[in-house]
Amino acid sequence: DQQVKQNSPSLSVQEGRISILNCDYTNSMFDYFLWYKKYPAEGPTFLISISSIKDKNEDGRFTVFLNKSAKHLSLHIVPSQPGDSAVYFCAARLTKAGNQFYFGTGTSLTVIP
Amino acid sequence: KAGVTQTPRYLIKTRGQQVTLSCSPISGHRSVSWYQQTPGQGLQFLFEYFSETQRNKGNFPGRFSGRQFSNSRSEMNVSTLELGDSALYLCASSLRLAGQETQYFGPGTRLLVL
């Protein structure tokens, strides 16, 4: 049962334009959401996060939006750069006795120079 | 600060064998989680350890087990390997501060089961 879904396996964007990566989730108990970036042969690297009590968080070129009613999360990258080409994973945290993180299947972003 | 380290980086085993993977978290991080990554499945949560105790477990068979030592280093063991266990196994350590928590991942151990 995939509780966090990234329905677009891949995305191509021209350099300088906006990249929008989307993520949907099913569990309303998730309290924290994160985006990770992954290059081949490396582990995922943390990019940006947002608490479930907020609807937007910004860090430089990266902005994450959370729409709780729609159970939807998106990552905006503006402007996109060739170095942003990587696989992006969204993740959601469920805090029970400890933490459990659920990951999407990833979206491969290619930024075309 | 040194990052999360995992050993070995690559491993080839045959069906029926067992394997032990090791993870050293970032200094000061007490939570260690393990994930399995396969193509098309994303990262699947295996288990989380905190202060030598397993706090959470994902939906994996009992062949997958782990432990954490007093220095927070963790090991993951898979017994009676199957072909489907071929995957990238990732370890992540984390520290929660003021409600915010970020997992820092190691480079992973790529396991191939023949």
Side-chain angles (χ1 to χ4, degrees), chain B residues 19-75:
Chain B
V19 66
T20 298
L21 312 180
S22 181
C23 171
S24 292
I26 292 172
S27 177
H29 288 194
R30 294 165 65 189
S31 171
V32 174
S33 297
W34 287 90
Y35 295 87
Q36 181 195 65
Q37 185 186 8
T38 53
Q41 291 294 317
L43 279 73
Q44 302 290 314
F45 174 75
L46 280 155
F47 24 66
E48 182 212 7
Y49 285 88
F50 183 86
S51 293
E52 303 177 65
T53 301
Q54 187 181 89
R55 285 204 298 194
N56 276 295
K57 190 177 191 310
N59 294 325
F60 278 81
R63 300 185 297 107
F64 292 80
S65 62
R67 58 178 176 168
Q68 187 180 32
F69 302 94
S70 58
N71 61 358
S72 293
R73 190 177 70 84
S74 178
E75 286 183 347

Side-chain angles (χ1 to χ4, degrees), chain A residues 55-92:
Chain A
D55 54 19
K56 178 182 174 181
N57 188 26
E58 203 169 342
D59 184 2
R61 296 185 298 114
F62 303 92
T63 303
V64 56
F65 294 92
L66 176 62
N67 183 333
K68 286 186 69 178
S69 60
K71 295 192 177 69
H72 180 80
L73 190 68
S74 64
L75 174 68
H76 292 210
I77 306 174
V78 184
S80 301
Q81 299 173 354
D84 296 330
S85 297
V87 177
Y88 289 78
F89 290 95
C90 67

Side-chain angles (χ1 to χ4, degrees), chain A residues 11-112:
Chain A
L11 176 68
S12 290
V13 172
Q14 289 284 346
E15 181 179 3
R17 297 290 187 99
I18 183 171
S19 294
I20 300 176
L21 294 94
N22 294 303
C23 180
D24 297 297
Y25 62 94
T26 57
N27 193 334
S28 58
M29 299 300 292
F30 289 140
D31 62 350
Y32 196 62
F33 302 88
L34 310 93
W35 283 95
Y36 286 85
K37 179 178 177 179
K38 187 180 185 302
Y39 292 115
E42 294 182 12
T45 303
F46 170 74
L47 205 53
I48 192 169
S49 63
I50 187 168
S51 166
S52 61
I53 62 173
K54 296 188 175 181
D55 54 19
K56 178 182 174 181
N57 188 26
E58 203 169 342
D59 184 2
R61 296 185 298 114
F62 303 92
T63 303
V64 56
F65 294 92
L66 176 62
N67 183 333
K68 286 186 69 178
S69 60
K71 295 192 177 69
H72 180 80
L73 190 68
S74 64
L75 174 68
H76 292 210
I77 306 174
V78 184
S80 301
Q81 299 173 354
D84 296 330
S85 297
V87 177
Y88 289 78
F89 290 95
C90 67
R93 184 183 74 184
L94 186 66
T95 302
K96 297 186 295 186
N99 300 316
Q100 191 158 337
F101 288 84
Y102 293 82
F103 282 77
T105 51
T107 296
S108 177
L109 173 66
T110 302
V111 180
I112 304 164

